[in-house]
Amino acid sequence: MNAANALPRRAWLIVGLLWFVGCLNYLDRVMITTMRESILAEIPMTDAQFGLLTTVFLLVYAVFSPFAGFIADRFNRSKVIIVSFITWSGVTWLTAHAKSYEQLLATRALMGISEACYIPAALALIADYHRTTTRSFANGLHLSGVMVGSGLGGLGGWIAERQGWGHAFMLFGQIGIALAVVLIFFLRDRPADQVETPRDDAVPVQAKVPPVRLGEALRSLLGNTNFLLALLYWGLMGASSWAVVGWMPTYLNEQFKLGQGAAGLSATGYYQTAALVGVLVGGIWADRWSRRHALGPIYVVMIGIAVSAPSILLVSATDTLVVALAGLVMFGLTKSFADANMMPILTLVADSRYRATGYGLLNLCACAVGGAAIYAGGVLRDANVNVVRVFQFGGLSFFVSLAILFFLRPGKSAPQPMAGKSH
């Protein structure tokens, strides 16, 4: 590669470091759900109160995401990530010392604030370092760490059974603090004299970028038709994905008479494994396509949705377990194309100065409607409506999302595909 096409120093080191941070991010947030009995034995609470621990985290996380994104756009992204990481690791450690329900609830709210600062800043930092030829794969590789962290959340329950629930929070809080020390020495923002240009986002140029202001960021994003379409698209994807994943264990349990444990492991194991492969495949494919066409990430996502929508409808329509699991695998594999390419798509339609703020708004929308979709599924079940309707809603929402993508177009400042043959 010539100098103009070369990636900045640390480009892949940044992704590697954030892989481990993302892994701990999701492990720390989900492991509380795996140690319910151990916590209830020490801190009595109702099931509703236990559920509220996750609800409070999700609500605070969603509401704070746009503001956290703005902070990452306004200030040094790597420092925001480091401070966020140190803070949530400290809160993880502090959670182990909670002695009452109120204290436990407070730590979950603090966890929501501190973790909200991570994802927008991390994805924006990766987008800063990686061009169209590597951006989707870099993003997918980072998200594979998030998925591994979600899968490792079960370690919390395993440790809680043997050494108490507090030990797990203390252990992973300490690991986080130790890793944060490593980040202090190695995590850096992309050099300020290398900025994206309309023709080639890899060309180093001298430019003075005006400071980011919240009002200007919101006006730029919410006044952008392409961004509003992306917001609607991501909200529908969030609603359908949360609904399908949230109610899949129940569906497998009732439809195929699987035990609670087998249904849960089947729903998460097959889906997460397929999704882990999907973010990598979708990232590599989108990068290769982007070398020839700026809309490469959008095209890959459209193909993924075109496969994942009928896949989930297949799951809801079959009476054969093997067929249902095959549909679930295909759904997880192709739906994750969207996860790997959301930030690359955002770079096509939004001002580069407001990437983290934009992703924070997307995060807010997806979490809010996703939580509402899960709740709506519960309301339908209370009304004796078959959970199959949830999956049918998911499939329909995916088709609508696919239609929205047809109208997305790169903005004037979007990077153009590289000239010449792909390598």
Side-chain angles (χ1 to χ4, degrees):
M1 286 188 178
N2 58 40
N5 293 336
L7 290 174
R9 287 184 64 231
R10 300 176 181 266
W12 289 110
L13 174 63
I14 294 297
V15 177
L17 291 172
L18 294 181
W19 190 96
F20 290 99
V21 181
C23 182
L24 277 175
N25 181 282
Y26 270 69
L27 191 156
D28 289 345
R29 75 168 67 174
V30 305
M31 67 179 177
I32 193 171
T33 64
T34 70
M35 52 179 72
R36 174 179 172 276
E37 293 183 2
S38 298
I39 293 177
L40 292 182
E42 295 187 21
I43 304 178
M45 67 187 79
T46 66
D47 284 338
Q49 287 177 316
F50 185 79
L52 188 60
L53 295 175
T54 298
T55 300
V56 163
F57 168 85
L58 190 60
L59 288 175
V60 172
Y61 177 85
V63 170
F64 197 71
S65 282
F67 302 101
F70 166 72
I71 292 171
D73 282 333
R74 180 67 177 83
F75 303 102
N76 185 286
R77 301 198 203 283
S78 57
K79 289 182 179 178
V80 169
I81 292 170
I82 293 170
V83 171
S84 170
F85 191 24
I86 292 173
T87 304
W88 95 60
S89 295
V91 173
T92 300
W93 179 86
L94 185 65
T95 302
H97 298 81
K99 301 301 181 183
S100 67
Y101 177 76
E102 290 73 22
Q103 292 175 351
L104 198 57
L105 191 65
T107 60
R108 295 303 289 173
L110 291 174
M111 180 79 80
I113 295 174
S114 56
E115 288 204 356
C117 295
Y118 173 67
I119 285 291
L123 296 184
L125 183 60
I126 291 172
D128 289 344
Y129 270 95
H130 288 267
R131 304 184 311 276
T132 54
T133 52
T134 58
R135 186 172 285 156
S136 292
F137 176 63
N139 193 59
L141 185 59
H142 168 251
L143 290 179
S144 72
V146 167
M147 293 177 180
V148 170
S150 297
L152 291 177
L155 284 175
W158 185 83
I159 295 173
E161 284 184 342
R162 288 157 179 77
Q163 296 179 295
W165 68 271
H167 185 80
F169 283 101
M170 291 184 64
L171 173 64
F172 290 113
Q174 292 167 350
I175 290 175
I177 295 294
L179 181 55
V181 174
V182 177
L183 297 189
I184 291 173
F185 289 99
F186 294 103
L187 195 69
R188 296 288 185 274
D189 275 19
R190 180 172 172 171
D193 62 344
Q194 295 178 343
V195 298
E196 294 183 346
T197 68
R199 294 296 304 170
D200 186 351
D201 64 348
V203 178
V205 297
Q206 296 293 332
K208 184 176 181 180
V209 180
V212 174
R213 293 182 172 84
L214 182 59
E216 292 177 1
L218 293 178
R219 282 193 295 272
S220 174
L221 292 166
L222 298 180
N224 181 343
T225 301
N226 279 310
F227 179 78
L228 293 177
L229 287 173
L231 193 66
L232 178 59
Y233 149 76
W234 198 237
L236 287 171
M237 291 291 290
S240 52
S241 298
W242 279 87
V244 169
V245 174
W247 288 104
M248 183 59 70
T250 300
Y251 173 71
L252 294 178
N253 171 255
E254 296 179 351
Q255 178 71 13
F256 301 104
K257 310 305 179 186
L258 297 182
Q260 176 178 288
L265 288 174
S266 296
T268 58
Y270 286 103
Y271 174 81
Q272 291 290 356
T273 301
L276 182 61
V277 175
V279 292
L280 300 178
V281 172
I284 293 172
W285 190 7
D287 284 337
R288 290 183 65 85
W289 208 332
S290 294
R291 296 172 186 177
R292 302 185 301 274
H293 201 293
L295 295 179
I298 296 178
Y299 292 156
V300 169
V301 172
M302 290 172 70
I303 292 172
I305 294 176
V307 176
S308 58
S311 294
I312 201 58
L313 293 177
L314 174 64
V315 174
S316 67
T318 184
D319 293 324
T320 305
L321 178 60
V322 173
V323 175
L325 294 178
L328 178 60
V329 168
M330 189 57 65
F331 172 75
L333 178 71
T334 54
K335 179 266 172 189
S336 59
F337 290 1
D339 298 319
N341 287 288
M342 189 62 248
M343 177 55 84
I345 290 175
L346 182 60
T347 66
L348 295 177
V349 302
D351 190 317
S352 61
R353 293 177 298 162
Y354 310 133
R355 286 174 180 166
T357 306
Y359 200 89
L361 288 169
L362 294 173
N363 225 8
L364 168 61
C365 182
C367 288
V369 299
I374 293 178
Y375 177 75
V379 172
L380 291 175
R381 283 186 54 78
D382 288 341
N384 296 318
V385 176
N386 195 306
V387 73
V388 166
R389 301 301 181 195
V390 174
F391 299 154
Q392 292 172 344
F393 162 79
L396 177 62
S397 295
F398 268 44
F399 281 122
V400 176
S401 299
L402 178 60
I404 292 172
L405 288 178
F406 274 102
F407 297 96
L408 277 183
R409 294 293 181 270
K412 294 181 180 180
S413 62
Q416 302 299 313
M418 294 172 58
K421 294 181 179 180
S422 60
H423 300 283

